[in-house]
Amino acid sequence: MSSFKEIVTKAVIGKAKKTSGNTFSLEPEEIPNTVLGCWVINHKFNGTKGSSGKVIVNGSFDVNVWYSYNGDKSTAVTTRNFTYSDTMNIPLKEDHNLADASEIIVRCLRQPTVSNVNVEGTTVKLDIEKELGVEIVGDTKVKVSVEDDEDDYEEIFDESDESVLDEINEDYLNEASN
């Protein structure tokens, strides 16, 4: 006979991903003519519980811009740190709410990359896109079937070797060939 028990465990109670893009501006020391290269490094982020059941992801990254100036006769690299804040509304499973969350896990599914760059006068305009995934871990219950009878073991008796030998049919090969 079996009954059911509830086990309280940690599980993912909400999960979502979001692709976002932002436009940033930087002004190098020299007046740029052409952007020769641009890359994003040192991406750092974390997620916190926000108001109204939303998750807020705050992060930062460094942007390096390699550019030419002085009539394309000289080059330089400038680095700037940018910060961002993304608000995500994560759909939660069953009857959970964000207050049930014991942990918010943020993963970068696609690193920040520069999708477009333009020189506008003395300013370099950068369009940067990234994709973040968020998992919310909280307590949940699992029902399992439990066997109540612990004494349902099959009893085994040792047979002596002689009783096994008595059961052997010595004429088996003769009967099988007929």
Side-chain angles (χ1 to χ4, degrees), residues 106-124:
V106 181
R107 290 187 175 87
C108 186
L109 304 177
R110 195 173 77 227
Q111 289 292 333
T113 56
V114 178
S115 61
N116 190 27
V117 60
N118 292 316
V119 176
E120 296 178 6
T122 61
T123 304
V124 177

Side-chain angles (χ1 to χ4, degrees), residues 15-165:
K15 185 176 183 178
K17 66 181 180 177
K18 179 180 180 182
T19 302
S20 61
N22 301 90
T23 300
F24 298 96
S25 299
L26 65 88
E27 289 196 26
E29 292 180 18
E30 298 84 6
I31 299 172
N33 296 113
T34 308
V35 173
L36 304 172
C38 189
W39 58 97
V40 181
I41 60 172
N42 300 328
H43 185 209
K44 298 175 185 152
F45 50 87
N46 69 334
T48 57
K49 297 176 190 177
S51 61
S52 305
K54 296 182 180 182
V55 173
I56 298 173
V57 179
N58 294 310
S60 67
F61 48 78
D62 294 331
V63 176
N64 294 308
V65 177
W66 178 36
Y67 62 95
S68 67
Y69 65 96
N70 194 19
D72 291 334
K73 294 178 185 168
S74 303
T75 65
V77 175
T78 187
T79 302
R80 296 287 188 275
N81 181 271
F82 295 105
T83 60
Y84 65 88
S85 182
D86 286 340
T87 302
M88 299 175 72
N89 189 13
I90 312 293
L92 300 178
K93 297 176 181 176
E94 301 165 7
D95 297 328
H96 295 285
N97 59 45
L98 197 55
D100 296 336
S102 60
E103 186 178 3
I104 296 174
I105 301 168
V106 181
R107 290 187 175 87
C108 186
L109 304 177
R110 195 173 77 227
Q111 289 292 333
T113 56
V114 178
S115 61
N116 190 27
V117 60
N118 292 316
V119 176
E120 296 178 6
T122 61
T123 304
V124 177
K125 301 269 186 189
L126 307 159
D127 293 333
I128 297 179
E129 295 178 353
K130 65 188 172 317
E131 184 174 42
L132 300 174
V134 175
E135 292 180 347
I136 299 174
V137 177
D139 290 334
T140 191
K141 293 179 184 177
V142 178
K143 287 187 180 183
V144 295
S145 175
V146 179
E147 295 292 327
D148 292 335
D149 296 329
E150 295 179 18
D151 296 331
D152 286 346
Y153 292 101
E154 185 86 22
E155 193 166 341
I156 300 172
F157 298 101
D158 288 336
E159 296 180 15
S160 69
D161 292 338
E162 292 175 19
S163 64
V164 172
L165 292 175

